Amino acid sequence: MAKAEKKHTLHPTQLSESETKNPFLVALGERVRALRARQGTTRKALSLMTGVSERHLANLEYGEGNASILVLQQVAAALECSLAELIGDVTTSSPEWLMIRSLLENKDENTLRRARVAIGEALGTVGVSTAASSRIALIGLRGAGKSTLGQMLADDLDFPFVELSQEIEKFAGCSISEIQALYGANAYRRYERRALEEAIQIYPEAVICTPGGLVSDTSTFNLLLSHCTTIWLQADPEDHMQRVTKQGDLRPMAASKEAMEDLKHILAARAAFYSKAQYKLDTSAQSLEATFLALRELVRKSLHLPI
């Protein structure tokens, strides 16, 4: 009777490096070695500068073990580079990226905005005559009045009214909540981008109501800014909450105290992005009728239409 073949199990040390090492840690180690080489620093010298043992640095460079954020901060400081460059941020991936970063570093918001617009023009990604674009995009958090005022404005201008959330659902074939639950946030952002691209392609004139979180995706927000006249509809947190609740969505009130705090944090976090809009209108300052008249005047002046 033939002997049964003996099965061999590889010991971890016999596995290939690609099977035992985390790809991120391997890439991190390669960048540390490259940055050390760029500076002409030995591992021993780096150890003295950082207070991190040579053995620990060797493990870091060869993708073995998990370096703490404090160690990475010390290594970055010693190598005279940013933590972003050490961990592989895309804006540190080439000499040109690094030189652009250095030009923009510590510049004020107005200078950065001018640089962004100039880059857009150089790359041909800025729409024609964006200052007077007949695509009017309303941005702001849910409950700011985008749908109500947007429909009123579209009727007044005799423009198509595009509710971008509805277009996203058409592309996906399901509701936004189902997109998030089934496919996740990344898939939702892809549908959002696709819906905006099609709206820009189809409608030379339109009033576009955008989802409140569109500004969270900087590439999609750049596309919006480049091809539309943008207006930030701003409101007090209390008005946001009240209007959303009146629409029949009781979710914000599930934990009322925490919900209001969360809402304020979201508004604060997104305000810097919303403020990139060409115009801003406070929808809490006066009645709906008066707010619409203010919006109508703002848009008609921008488009050089009779008021």
Side-chain angles (χ1 to χ4, degrees), residues 56-196:
H56 198 149
L57 289 173
N59 287 339
L60 174 62
E61 291 190 0
Y62 288 101
E64 299 169 354
N66 195 350
S68 74
I69 191 68
L70 293 177
V71 168
L72 296 182
Q73 285 179 322
Q74 289 171 286
V75 171
L79 294 176
E80 298 180 1
C81 68
S82 67
L83 189 57
E85 184 174 3
L86 195 65
I87 64 175
D89 184 274
V90 66
T91 61
T92 65
S93 59
S94 73
E96 288 296 343
W97 263 121
L98 288 169
M99 292 169 73
I100 291 170
R101 279 174 60 105
S102 69
L103 288 173
L104 299 177
E105 193 172 0
N106 300 322
K107 298 299 186 293
D108 59 70
E109 280 292 300
N110 191 46
T111 300
L112 291 173
R113 184 193 63 78
R114 294 202 308 271
R116 172 174 58 79
V117 171
I119 290 171
E121 290 174 346
L123 296 176
T125 57
V126 175
V128 179
S129 301
T130 54
S133 172
S134 293
R135 295 185 203 92
I136 311 300
L138 304 180
I139 68 172
L141 203 61
R142 187 178 177 189
K146 292 174 296 183
S147 295
T148 302
L149 290 166
Q151 185 65 70
M152 294 169 70
L153 181 64
D155 292 342
D156 179 78
L157 296 172
D158 197 24
F159 283 3
F161 178 60
V162 180
E163 188 86 54
L164 210 59
S165 293
Q166 293 179 6
E167 300 306 310
I168 293 169
E169 291 180 339
K170 288 178 185 177
F171 275 118
C174 59
S175 69
I176 286 176
S177 60
E178 288 173 323
I179 298 171
Q180 298 277 12
L182 294 173
Y183 309 115
N186 289 337
Y188 170 78
R189 292 298 172 207
R190 288 196 298 272
Y191 284 121
E192 182 179 62
R193 170 80 179 214
R194 185 177 168 190
L196 178 60

Side-chain angles (χ1 to χ4, degrees), residues 235-244 260 263-264 267 284:
D236 296 333
E238 293 76 16
D239 281 339
H240 278 290
M241 187 73 78
Q242 185 180 26
R243 291 168 184 172
V244 170
M260 181 57 75
L263 178 62
K264 290 177 179 178
L267 278 171
S284 292

